[in-house]
């Protein structure tokens, strides 16, 4: 197969010739042969023998079902989707059915120009998505009445947990308080995630009614309005009492409610969190959805996640960028404010476009209709003798039935209602509800059809002294795109400002930006997956549960482990979940004092941040000159901390892009001293079918489904980071307060939804099902081939920093630009920006080694695309040589002025030492198709000194 040969036998004609693997895998057989020849390898298997140590190779091939065609997998997934029952779910708990405007669904959710973008670390080619996220921040800040908002969080429960730690940090190190209060009217999944997060950090969480809030030792409090049962309480006095203690207040809320209700920022909230799902994002059985967090300006540097800021480019024009990046994990490591390194960008973009489409008047009209319908239903139920427990509410009723069994009656009508377990019933309405739905709800309570117009005519829809008076969303962007024509053009204008996989490869090391096949993406939009409430009854979600079961078994087969949890909805969450699982196991065997986590210097920056969040002390292990873990230093530190050693975190293949041959010894050393081995699976792309982490000694690993298993990056999220574990750890996998996940001694609750972000799991399911064992293995082999081909081609121009003993790299390689900085003054940043002129996103920059580029081509790219990247970097090397030879100064070189915008190269004046054509069309392919960066190089320092995180006036752009 690797050499392009094929047996032509009658039996082979029984299988379909249009194999999906040939669509996913970029190199054709003749290209494979040509690349192998360039490497001096007789065959692909010979290259793999060189690159992957024999001691790591799995003794048996993958055991997976035969591969399906694209048609067959869609039939398979349709059957699973049809096995789910899409009922009307008025369950609430922070999740509501939403109307997804087709213009947004088709042009964002289903558009690879949006879902295949990378995290906006290179702002010059990310301006479209940055603008959409700035709209999201402005929307959230306006509605919550706060000074600053981030560009999204993983889910509402995570946002609440992050808000707790923000409160602690915000009070400063001198504050010794350790108690965090959580009102018992908060959503139960939020309470559980906060409790899980607090325990390893040594915080005491007190849950109870607001009247029982502690009066001593308090650093923060979490309340919810409207609360989980729908009540809108007056919490102003409570906020004052908490502030009087010197503590901070977090308010969880609902964006639609805030169009009618006074913003928490106006009555004292310090942090406001919630979920934007009902702004045009499918339920998806729990995710992915973009949560939000907003706070006061005083805590801007404590705000976790990402913040979009307004800066300027080299010509003084407004330009957007990620702001305050010193908070990021890759810089601060164990001192980071959080381990969050992905957000929910794609979903935040959808929510922001929903707000742009409707504007403040449209959102208020939708909210007023929801509220009016809820009031009308309450009136009818109360008139029939049912007790409505709360007098002030927005969209949710808690009712004590006077007679009958409304839960069963509603279910017979195809409606899910919430059972509070005490004889009361919850009804949470949404924007999809119409008068027929109201008739059905009334019927479930034994009431006849009503004249709803007549009922509505007599209602007082005021929230009393909590009515909103402050205007919001005043920026023109929220008033300019009411027609579909205008919104479509706006979406397309922003899309054109962003480079995605639709333009070229995105060769980021450790990030694996591979093909996200259309067949994998199609089921995401199906109602059978997107229309399910996360807490729908189990018998309505059989299709999902079968999908989970199969996917978990496949992931265990691929990794060699025994148990799997799909709950972590990001790679960083997977790290955290894995360490908590280890911690729970250590506690279960009476070794709860073990809290030392060994982490190599080369580790991903989220590793130490996750360890600290899991209550562990980080001890750094040195790497040797070849980038491998220093066994002597590891042995010494494992021995020194033998009594307290909890775990080792290690990335494999290494962050330096090499298969370390000592991995068995590393695992053995840690086990000898009582620790467990956590393997960061970010680089699993090089091992599927070739090596299993469990077989060389790891105890747990997380997998980036948004990378190795084809869930698209979405411009910085969504993601999924499930963990696979050895049998002894399986009972300690994450649990959930509302759904029994079968983990007897669960380590806690990691995400708001039981299975994280389920609606994107069909993507990974389809990928594995269509590839099958042979093509998954071939994918790993071709990822290694492509990386070694690039390393070989570029070694003529740049030093390749790390290689294995045989001179081969794994699935990525690092080229060293530090000598060029010394010889020419040209920096790695200059090279990254110049690559934009060639139509490429830069490789991973200055990680794991400052002044380098880490390149990962993936198996999806063909030889021609690899050659384009290599040719671009070779041309750039010659441009650097011109500086070294004195033909140009560094300051007047095309690298220092890169990227070049269309406005620059078409300006009347051109006073550079190089030609316009060299600036604009540095390679032949740029004349055939040119991606123009919309802004020149962004001034990062200016943006941090002059932080603006909301939409600037439009005249700033016009100027």
């Amino acid at each position: 197969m690797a050499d392009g040969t094929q047996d032509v036998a009658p039996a082979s004609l029984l299988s379909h010739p249009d194999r999906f693997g040939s669509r996913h895998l970029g190199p054709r057989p003749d290209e494979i042969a040509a690349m192998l020849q360039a490497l001096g390898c007789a065959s692909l298997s010979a290259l793999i023998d060189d690159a992957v140590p024999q001691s790591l190779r799995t003794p048996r091939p993958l055991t997976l079902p035969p591969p399906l065609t694209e048609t067959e997998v869609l039939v398979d997934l349709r059957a699973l989707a049809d096995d789910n029952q899409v009922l009307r779910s008025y369950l609430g708990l922070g999740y509501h059915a939403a109307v997804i405007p087709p213009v947004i669904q088709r042009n964002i959710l289903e558009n690879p120009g949006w879902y295949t973008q990378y995290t906006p670390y290179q702002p010059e080619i990310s301006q479209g998505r940055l603008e959409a996220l700035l709209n999201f921040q402005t929307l959230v800040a306006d509605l919550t009445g706060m000074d600053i908002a981030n560009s999204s969080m993983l889910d509402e429960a995570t946002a609440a947990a992050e808000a707790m730690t923000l409160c602690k940090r915000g009070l400063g190190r001198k504050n010794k308080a350790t108690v965090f209060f959580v009102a018992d009217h908060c959503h139960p999944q939020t309470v559980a995630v906060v409790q899980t997060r607090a325990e390893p950090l040594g915080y005491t969480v007190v849950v109870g009614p607001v009247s029982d809030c502690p009066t001593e030792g308090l650093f923060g409090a979490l309340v919810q309005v409207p609360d989980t049962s729908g009540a809108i309480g007056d919490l102003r006095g409570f906020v004052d009492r908490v502030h009087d203690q010197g503590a901070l207040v977090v308010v969880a809320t609902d964006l639609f409610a805030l169009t009618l209700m006074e913003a928490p920022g106006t009555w004292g909230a310090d942090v406001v969190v919630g979920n934007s799902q009902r702004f045009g994002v499918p339920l998806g059985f729990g995710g992915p959805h973009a949560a939000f967090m907003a706070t006061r300006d005083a805590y801007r540097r404590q705000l976790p996640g990402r913040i979009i800021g307004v800066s300027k480019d080299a010509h003084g024009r407004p330009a957007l960028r990620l702001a305050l990046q010193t908070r990021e994990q890759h810089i601060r490591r164990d001192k980071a404010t959080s381990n969050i390194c992905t957000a929910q960008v794609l979903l935040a973009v959808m929510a922001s476009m929903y707000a742009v489409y409707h504007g403040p008047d449209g959102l208020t009209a939708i909210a007023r209709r929801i509220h009016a319908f809820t009031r009308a239903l309450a009136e009818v139920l109360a008139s029939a003798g049912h007790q409505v427990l709360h007098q002030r509410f927005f969209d949710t009723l808690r009712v004590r039935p006077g007679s009958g069994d409304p839960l069963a009656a509603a279910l017979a009508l195809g409606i899910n209602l919430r059972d509070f377990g005490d004889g009361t019933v919850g009804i949470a309405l949404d924007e999809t509800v119409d008068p027929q739905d109201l008739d059905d709800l009334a019927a479930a309570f034994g009431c006849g059809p009503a004249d709803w117009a007549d009922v509505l005519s007599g209602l007082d829809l005021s929230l009393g002294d909590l009515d909103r008076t402050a205007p919001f969303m005043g920026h023109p962007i929220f008033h300019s795109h009411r027609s579909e024509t205008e919104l479509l053009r706006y979406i397309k204008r922003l899309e054109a400002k962003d480079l995605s996989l639709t333009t070229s490869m995105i060769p980021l090391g450790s990030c694996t930006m591979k093909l996200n096949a259309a067949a994998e993406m199609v089921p995401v939009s199906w109602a059978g997956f997107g229309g399910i409430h996360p807490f729908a009854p189990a018998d309505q979600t059989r299709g999902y549960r079968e999908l989970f079961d199969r996917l978990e078994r496949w992931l265990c087969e691929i990794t060699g482990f025994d148990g799997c949890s799909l709950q972590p909805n990001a790679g960083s969450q997977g790290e955290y979940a894995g360490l908590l699982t280890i911690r729970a196991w250590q506690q279960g065997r009476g070794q709860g004092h073990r809290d030392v986590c060994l982490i190599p210097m080369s580790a991903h920056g989220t590793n130490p941040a996750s360890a600290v969040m899991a209550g562990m002390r980080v001890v750094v292990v040195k790497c040797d000159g070849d980038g491998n873990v220093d066994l002597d230093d590891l042995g010494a530190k494992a021995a020194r901390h033998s009594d307290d050693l909890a775990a080792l975190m290690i990335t494999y293949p290494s962050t330096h892009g090499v298969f370390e041959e000592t991995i068995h010894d590393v695992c053995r050393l840690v086990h000898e001293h009582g620790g467990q081995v956590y393997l960061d699976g970010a680089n699993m792309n090089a091992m599927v079918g070739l090596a299993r982490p469990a077989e060389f000694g790891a105890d747990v690993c997380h997998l980036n489904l948004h990378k190795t298993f084809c869930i698209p990056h979405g411009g910085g999220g969504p993601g999924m980071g499930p963990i696979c574990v050895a049998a002894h750890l399986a009972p300690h996998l994450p649990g959930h307060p509302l759904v029994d996940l079968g983990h007897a001694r669960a380590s806690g609750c990691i995400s708001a939804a039981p299975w994280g972000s389920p609606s994107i799991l069909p993507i990974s399911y389809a990928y594995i099902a269509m590839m099958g064992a042979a093509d998954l293995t071939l994918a790993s082999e071709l990822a290694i081939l492509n990386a070694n081909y690039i390393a070989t081609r570029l070694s003529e121009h740049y030093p390749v920093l790390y290689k294995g003993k045989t001179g081969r790299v794994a699935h990525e390689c690092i080229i060293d630009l530090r000598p060029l900085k010394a010889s020419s003054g040209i920096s790695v940043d200059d090279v990254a920006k110049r690559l934009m002129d060639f139509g490429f996103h830069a490789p991973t920059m200055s990680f794991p080694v400052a002044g380098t580029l880490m390149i990962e081509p993936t198996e999806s790219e063909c030889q021609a695309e690899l050659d384009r990247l290599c040719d671009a970097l070779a041309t750039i090397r010659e441009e650097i040589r011109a500086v070294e030879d004195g033909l140009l100064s560094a300051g007047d070189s095309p690298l220092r002025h890169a990227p070049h915008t269309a406005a620059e190269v078409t300006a009347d004046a051109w006073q550079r030492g190089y030609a316009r054509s060299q600036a604009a069309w540095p390679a032949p392919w740029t004349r055939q198709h040119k991606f123009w960066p919309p802004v020149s190089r962004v001034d990062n320092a200016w943006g941090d000194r002059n932080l603006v995180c909301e939409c600037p006036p439009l005249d700033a752009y016009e100027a």
Side-chain angles (χ1 to χ4, degrees), residues 655-917:
T655 313
H656 294 114
V658 175
F659 285 98
E660 298 184 43
E661 298 197 29
T662 59
I663 186 65
H664 291 91
D665 297 325
V666 168
C667 295
R668 176 184 51 78
L669 260 173
V670 172
H671 289 149
E672 286 176 354
H673 292 280
Q676 296 282 281
V677 176
Y678 166 90
L679 186 133
D680 186 317
N683 293 342
M684 193 70 196
N685 202 47
M687 289 197 294
V688 177
L690 299 177
R692 291 179 171 88
E695 291 174 354
F696 52 74
D699 300 288
V700 54
C701 77
H702 92 266
L703 300 169
N704 286 348
L705 296 191
H706 49 292
K707 295 173 182 177
T708 300
F709 296 96
C710 290
I711 290 176
H713 201 277
M720 284 288 276
I723 56 172
C724 295
V725 299
H728 64 283
L729 295 178
H732 302 283
L733 287 168
H736 197 277
L738 297 176
V739 177
D740 181 7
L741 298 178
H743 305 144
R745 296 184 290 280
S747 53
C749 183
I750 303 300
S751 302
W755 289 277
S757 296
S759 68
I760 54 177
L761 289 176
I763 301 169
S764 296
Y765 177 96
Y767 171 66
I768 297 172
M770 290 189 292
M771 290 290 279
D775 282 341
L776 284 171
T777 304
L778 182 57
S780 299
E781 294 171 343
L782 293 184
I784 293 170
L785 170 63
N786 285 357
N788 277 278
Y789 178 70
I790 281 183
T792 298
R793 276 214 56 190
L794 292 182
S795 63
E796 302 173 22
H797 309 283
Y798 304 91
V800 176
L801 199 53
Y802 298 110
K803 296 180 180 179
K805 286 185 177 179
T806 61
R808 304 297 185 191
V809 298
H811 63 305
E812 59 194 10
C813 63
I814 299 174
I815 60 172
D816 193 357
L817 275 67
R818 292 172 298 180
L820 302 180
K821 172 72 171 178
S823 65
S824 67
I826 297 297
S827 69
V828 66
D829 199 50
D830 296 328
V831 174
K833 304 307 180 188
R834 181 58 170 151
L835 274 169
M836 297 175 190
D837 292 327
F838 290 81
F840 283 109
H841 194 294
T844 301
M845 196 170 65
S846 291
F847 177 82
V849 180
T852 66
L853 290 174
M854 181 162 60
I855 306 170
E856 180 176 359
T858 84
E859 73 276 7
S860 297
E861 302 297 343
C862 65
Q863 185 185 10
E865 185 72 356
L866 305 184
D867 284 335
R868 283 204 317 128
L869 177 66
C870 292
D871 290 345
L873 285 166
T875 301
I876 288 172
R877 180 63 184 92
E878 292 308 307
E879 292 179 339
I880 297 172
R881 201 178 312 281
V883 175
E884 292 172 328
D885 294 343
L887 301 177
L888 280 176
S889 68
D892 196 34
S893 72
L895 287 102
R896 190 59 55 81
H897 289 287
H900 298 84
T901 64
E904 283 181 83
V905 299
T906 58
D908 293 338
W910 181 263
Q911 297 174 342
R912 304 272 173 85
Y914 53 96
R916 295 176 193 258
S917 59

Side-chain angles (χ1 to χ4, degrees), residues 356-443:
V356 166
Y357 203 20
H358 290 289
D361 294 340
L363 294 180
T364 302
I366 294 169
R368 189 174 290 118
R369 182 174 184 270
I370 295 170
H371 180 51
F373 279 9
T374 311
R375 286 271 183 193
L377 182 61
E379 183 77 9
V380 167
L381 296 183
S383 298
H386 305 288
Q387 181 186 5
V388 178
L389 268 60
H390 307 304
Q391 297 305 307
R392 185 157 52 185
F393 47 80
F394 166 58
D395 64 356
T396 300
L397 304 176
R398 188 171 185 176
V399 182
R400 188 175 300 281
S403 60
D405 184 357
L407 289 169
L411 191 59
L413 292 168
I415 295 173
N416 292 319
L417 300 180
R418 182 177 176 185
D419 182 359
F420 279 94
D422 62 354
T424 62
V425 176
I427 313 166
L429 302 189
D430 56 61
E431 67 167 316
T432 69
V433 171
D434 61 23
Q436 181 59 58
D437 296 315
L438 294 180
D439 280 340
D440 289 345
L441 286 166

Side-chain angles (χ1 to χ4, degrees), residues 93-96 136 140 153-157 159 187 189 224 252-256 272-279 281-283 286-293 344 347 351 534 752:
L93 288 156
Y95 301 93
H96 305 264
F136 180 83
V140 170
M153 302 289 285
L154 296 174
D155 58 37
E156 181 174 335
H187 295 316
Q189 70 272 22
Q224 185 146 3
T253 190
D254 178 281
L255 290 180
F256 260 137
V272 183
V273 300
N275 188 359
S276 66
Q277 174 265 316
R278 65 193 310 182
F279 275 29
V281 177
L283 281 165
H289 307 137
F292 62 84
M293 179 185 286
Q344 297 286 20
L347 298 314

Side-chain angles (χ1 to χ4, degrees), residues 169-186:
R169 294 190 308 271
L171 294 179
R173 294 184 178 180
K174 293 183 179 179
N175 187 291
K176 303 302 181 184
T178 59
V179 176
F180 188 74
F181 173 73
V182 178
D184 59 4
H185 63 226
C186 294

